[in-house]
Amino acid sequence: MSEETRLERGLRTRARIFGEEGEERRQAFAEASPAFAQFVTESVYGDLYARDGIDDKTRETVILSVLCAQGRDREFGYHAKAALRIGMTKEEIQEIILICAIYAGAPNAVGATDESLRVFKEFGV
Amino acid sequence: MSEETRLERGLRTRARIFGEEGEERRQAFAEASPAFAQFVTESVYGDLYARDGIDDKTRETVILSVLCAQGRDREFGYHAKAALRIGMTKEEIQEIILICAIYAGAPNAVGATDESLRVFKEFGV
Amino acid sequence: MSEETRLERGLRTRARIFGEEGEERRQAFAEASPAFAQFVTESVYGDLYARDGIDDKTRETVILSVLCAQGRDREFGYHAKAALRIGMTKEEIQEIILICAIYAGAPNAVGATDESLRVFKEFGV
Amino acid sequence: MSEETRLERGLRTRARIFGEEGEERRQAFAEASPAFAQFVTESVYGDLYARDGIDDKTRETVILSVLCAQGRDREFGYHAKAALRIGMTKEEIQEIILICAIYAGAPNAVGATDESLRVFKEFGV
Amino acid sequence: MSEETRLERGLRTRARIFGEEGEERRQAFAEASPAFAQFVTESVYGDLYARDGIDDKTRETVILSVLCAQGRDREFGYHAKAALRIGMTKEEIQEIILICAIYAGAPNAVGATDESLRVFKEFGV
Amino acid sequence: MSEETRLERGLRTRARIFGEEGEERRQAFAEASPAFAQFVTESVYGDLYARDGIDDKTRETVILSVLCAQGRDREFGYHAKAALRIGMTKEEIQEIILICAIYAGAPNAVGATDESLRVFKEFGV
């Protein structure tokens, strides 16, 4: 019986976290840069997301915090959806942003809040 | 019976998380800027750290991630100590940095790793 | 006679600086994250903006500079409006951006300039 | 015979790199901040871009890398066009982004990739 | 009677703002990169610092805010000295940092505070 | 005949670019975080540095630019050494920093210049 490759594992993980929307983004992305798309699918989703030492919720907590600190509002929105999908609550996302407001500066937290408001409405939470 | 003020609660929380070292830093800090020291103790440690919606470990996960994304190595070291003090393991800190390596860039994760190595040695973990 | 609370003072200050538009943003914001909205209104607008040691124009100079350095164009636009409302001139905003061009990098200053152009047109200055 | 001024040399260089689109942006820009527009045209395009020690392709490599690290997606798009105009290939831009993914973090590289996809389509490459 | 060149004006301005210490830094700097040293002296100190639309104190307010937002503690210290030299008070620097704490994040403001403490002691303020 | 693994290729590339000093850093690093060290050696040095589409000098140009934009002075020094080792000249590094001064802000370029001065002296260039 053949073992799952890094690529296969990455695609499977990606689907679990981002759903259909993620697959559409991945395809547009692969068109823009096949090598980068491969790196992300294999090294990020295939290797890192498969590690035992960290659970899905903690990983998304790290990612949301970094995205807020970088002021990447749009990507914060993508991962706010991912966070809700893997079981994080609206309240937990709000608490993460609140801590970020102090450490990453209020403007970055404001951007993340605006983006999360859109996501909360889309998910009806 | 008198209620605890925001300042008292902040000082107590600060001591729990940073120990004696934190108290020394706070005093030097209060000398440099009394108003900023008061804001941090009251609004950050007194108010935010007292909220129910987020536990100590998740809060430190957010803070470590933001500090890594900002490239603030020294402050990452302070909070790596705080994280160990409130019960996070060495392995959990390493996993946080690993995720940051991808999202916040390898150089910021390298800086955080160097700093954490110092902290791990100091704590004998 | 009852004293003004931190919240009341914050709401009053916010209205003075951002006008009606600010109140609309605050309400959308409070919906997305009540605790963050409260923190901003009380600790930022209620406490910090009420301090004597810094006047409105200097405070907005600091905020505009930070927002430009962070590349937060949209929020720069909000505060460019606030700056005009509290009496800063178009020329002063342009000079701030020019200094930022050197210290925060030309691309961030370009983003702030584009945003300020929109604001100048809206205000007819 | 009169020598070219810094301003004239800057305008000529700017036209070579950004084409007509750049001239439109420059005019809107000069309206928003004449002093900043003059600084950019004279000191950046007139002086720095005229230096011998660095060729057009290396200069755009530096600029694209900085813009990706800053997360300035829109300006990355402007310079991706400039890069194609001065002879860089689509593949070279993709390789630059791929290195940035590791050093500047995946989210910034994702933003640059999305922007470059738009540019590649516009240029039919 | 000959007019002052951009370079001469830049050197004179630099001396006024940074004193002897600045001249030592400039010489080490000119050794590392003559072209960059020339650009800074001419375009920054010779042109921008000579502009009428902004006074010394407002300019240093902008620079301190940007440096705090970038987390460049050491350079914050250089400009805290410059600020004291051109007449800003210790209290004004503290107020700038306090606003930055909210907008640029507490860790960047902590770094600036530590640096300013050193400067305040050196200046005996 | 056995093929080289990703790890072996990474170790070989790393040695070529960073020399002995890099190996010492790698070992300290592997002690602090084995998983991160493995990721860097395999995915960064083993995969990305082995790609055909970009030569060593262009890759280091990208990396130096990103590090300057992030204000990571120390890591800029490491890669300034790597750049000299793979054949970049002192003058080319100076030109890169000069472009960064405009795009990434003068303070980040000042930090990179100070660091490069140390490296130039160590290499006697």
Side-chain angles (χ1 to χ4, degrees), chain E residues 4 7-26 41 45-46 49 56 81-82 85-86:
Chain E
E4 199 180 32
L7 186 65
E8 287 163 349
R9 190 174 53 220
L11 288 169
R12 187 169 49 79
T13 303
R14 202 162 182 161
R16 173 169 63 85
I17 294 180
F18 286 114
E20 268 179 45
E21 217 178 84
E23 178 55 21
E24 281 163 33
R25 276 210 310 273
R26 194 192 62 79
T41 308
Y45 294 102
Y49 279 64
D56 275 2
K81 285 188 198 177
R85 195 173 284 112
I86 54 105

Side-chain angles (χ1 to χ4, degrees), chain D residues 20 27 35 45 47 50-51 56 83 85-86 91 94 120:
Chain D
E20 268 178 45
Q27 285 179 12
Y45 295 102
D47 293 350
R51 292 179 60 79
D56 274 1
R85 196 174 284 113
I86 55 109
E91 286 71 26
Q94 290 171 332
F120 295 157

Side-chain angles (χ1 to χ4, degrees), chain B residues 86-101:
Chain B
I86 54 106
M88 209 183 267
T89 65
K90 174 186 175 175
E91 286 70 27
E92 288 172 313
I93 295 175
Q94 289 171 332
E95 290 295 328
I96 290 171
I97 297 177
L98 193 50
I99 299 296
C100 285

